[in-house]
Amino acid sequence: MAESSEPPSSPRESARQSVTLQDIAAHAGVSRSTVSLVLRESPLVADSTRTRVQASIKALGYVYNRGAAALRASHTFTLGVVVYDIANPFFGAMVAGIDSVLHRENYVSFLANSEDSPERQQRFLERMREQRVDGLLLCPAEGTDPALLTQLMGWNMPCVQVLRHIGTPPFDYAGTDFELGVRQAVDHLVALGHRRIVFLGGEAEHSATRARHQGYHDAMHAQGLGEVLGIVRGPVTRRAGFEGIQTLMQETPRPTAVICHNDLMALGAMLGLQRLGLIPGEDCAIIGTDDIEEAALSLPPLTSVATHPFSIGEEAARLAMRRIANPGGAREQVILTPRLQVRHSCDPIPAHGEALYRRYPHATLDA
């Protein structure tokens, strides 16, 4: 006689598995269909009834098998979200915007961090496919093959690209106008008398970096400063800003203003100036991009191009909901308008500026 390879269930587990929706309905004094609506978090159920049914579920020890329910339903009410640098506060704000929309739609997100690796990204996408997510919000990793969009279409997985984009339009996309943001920064610096303006950061050839560099190039030429163009390519981390600004300050003549790829670089650059005994905003103007919360709290407060990460997240999630509801609809691109948030890291050129802040010779860079 063959023995079963399955481990014996505990009495408690067996009892839990034997509880049915009809048992819960009888215990709560409602219909079986009402129990089903409560389990699916339907807004059609009155709060008092929902509370009574949930109490019965807990009392009877019932565990809802959401995976089995998803196999029976057309939607899983889950959305995949893939970003490339989860440590950047920008993405924390963006994901908060995504979740604010998903919560109202009774959706939850599966969040993954590609670390800008197409291989790691592909692994996450395959896992999300296995989990039958209803759609995907994708910040493409550097070097992502545009053929990925065709693959996702073959999987019947609606995809909204966020911040970066690959492939040829039309495609669904939510982001901000990076070109305009950099042009705003250049125009502001020129109005303050700056001419030697350098753009710091961005070595990857993806859409967001290309847009920033194009905005810088166009604005400098429009201001008649094409002969002093200066783009320093490289990583976009706080440490890269810290080290890059110190190298720039050794040049002759050195720049009087630096626009950074993001706020983390700009914050690092201000520390780098302080390490040299220089005053950010007076000895060299610094402008960041994104306007993360730390920008307003730094010393001096950082002038930054606000790119609205929370709103980008909201718009991306709303677009995903529309695409899930209407897979064959016209593709959409939602582009938000950036805004230059002027603070004290960006003063007139040193010859005309006044010292506003004391020096910080003991500033250090967190590892």
Side-chain angles (χ1 to χ4, degrees):
M1 181 177 178
E3 295 185 359
S4 172
S5 61
E6 296 292 333
S9 299
S10 68
R12 183 177 180 181
E13 182 179 356
S14 297
R16 183 172 65 240
Q17 291 173 343
S18 66
V19 176
T20 66
L21 298 191
Q22 191 59 50
D23 295 331
I24 299 170
H27 189 276
V30 298
S31 67
R32 184 182 184 281
S33 61
T34 298
V35 175
S36 179
L37 288 173
V38 171
L39 290 171
R40 288 187 281 118
E41 301 179 357
S42 170
L44 300 176
V45 182
D47 290 342
S48 58
T49 303
R50 185 187 310 277
T51 300
R52 190 163 73 251
V53 171
Q54 289 172 338
S56 294
I57 290 171
K58 183 175 182 180
L60 296 176
Y62 178 80
V63 177
Y64 182 42
N65 190 333
R66 194 171 296 275
L71 292 175
R72 298 189 296 269
S74 59
H75 295 300
T76 62
F77 296 94
T78 58
L79 193 71
V81 179
V82 182
V83 302
Y84 50 83
D85 184 10
I86 202 169
N88 188 330
F90 175 94
F91 287 107
M94 190 186 81
V95 171
I98 292 170
D99 283 344
S100 72
V101 172
L102 296 188
H103 177 72
R104 292 192 293 271
E105 299 291 338
N106 288 321
Y107 265 73
V108 296
S109 62
F110 292 159
L111 177 63
N113 181 31
S114 72
E115 297 181 355
D116 251 345
S117 163
E119 295 75 23
R120 182 179 170 92
Q121 173 181 270
Q122 182 66 25
R123 186 166 69 251
F124 286 135
L125 295 179
E126 290 172 356
R127 290 292 180 87
M128 289 176 177
R129 184 193 185 195
E130 293 169 2
Q131 296 298 321
R132 301 180 65 247
V133 297
D134 292 338
L136 175 69
L137 298 182
L138 176 66
C139 302
E142 176 188 345
T144 296
D145 189 332
L148 175 63
L149 298 182
T150 303
Q151 180 184 65
L152 295 174
M153 289 179 60
W155 291 355
N156 294 318
M157 183 183 291
C159 174
V160 176
Q161 299 186 73
V162 187
L163 297 180
R164 301 173 177 175
H165 54 77
I166 56 174
T168 303
F171 46 68
D172 288 323
Y173 172 77
T176 195
D177 190 338
F178 290 112
E179 284 192 40
L180 175 59
V182 177
R183 292 201 302 270
Q184 290 174 348
V186 171
D187 292 348
H188 179 68
L189 289 169
V190 172
L192 293 176
H194 294 276
R195 296 293 181 271
R196 295 192 300 278
I197 305 167
V198 171
F199 189 94
L200 181 60
E203 59 185 345
E205 282 301 320
H206 56 68
S207 62
T209 290
R210 288 195 299 270
R212 285 171 166 90
H213 290 175
Q214 188 64 50
Y216 170 78
H217 181 275
D218 291 348
M220 291 291 282
H221 275 281
Q223 294 286 355
L225 301 174
E227 75 282 359
V228 292
L229 278 169
I231 296 178
V232 179
R233 296 178 178 270
V236 294
T237 62
R238 190 187 300 253
R239 181 167 291 278
F242 177 77
E243 296 173 349
I245 196 71
Q246 294 184 73
T247 300
L248 285 172
M249 290 298 102
Q250 306 307 313
E251 295 182 357
T252 304
R254 67 189 188 188
T256 64
V258 174
I259 303 170
C260 294
H261 185 280
N262 61 25
D263 283 347
L264 294 183
M265 287 201 78
L267 293 168
M270 290 203 298
L271 284 174
L273 289 173
Q274 293 164 0
R275 177 66 62 86
L276 294 173
L278 302 175
I279 302 175
E282 180 183 346
D283 295 313
C284 181
I286 302 291
I287 295 183
T289 304
D290 291 336
D291 196 29
I292 61 176
E293 184 178 11
E294 190 178 351
L297 304 177
S298 62
L299 285 175
L302 175 66
T303 294
S304 180
V305 177
T307 54
H308 320 298
F310 187 90
S311 296
I312 290 174
E314 288 183 309
E315 294 294 347
R318 292 190 188 108
L319 179 49
M321 295 296 99
R322 294 196 294 273
R323 185 59 57 235
I324 290 169
N326 183 17
R331 296 305 185 252
E332 302 178 46
Q333 294 197 1
V334 182
I335 312 294
L336 301 185
T337 301
R339 182 188 72 256
L340 185 66
Q341 185 66 49
V342 178
R343 300 190 180 96
H344 299 302
S345 69
C346 191
D347 294 335
I349 56 175
H352 300 93
E354 296 180 359
L356 299 178
Y357 292 90
R358 63 182 178 84
R359 298 175 187 272
Y360 300 95
H362 304 298
T364 58
L365 175 69
D366 293 335

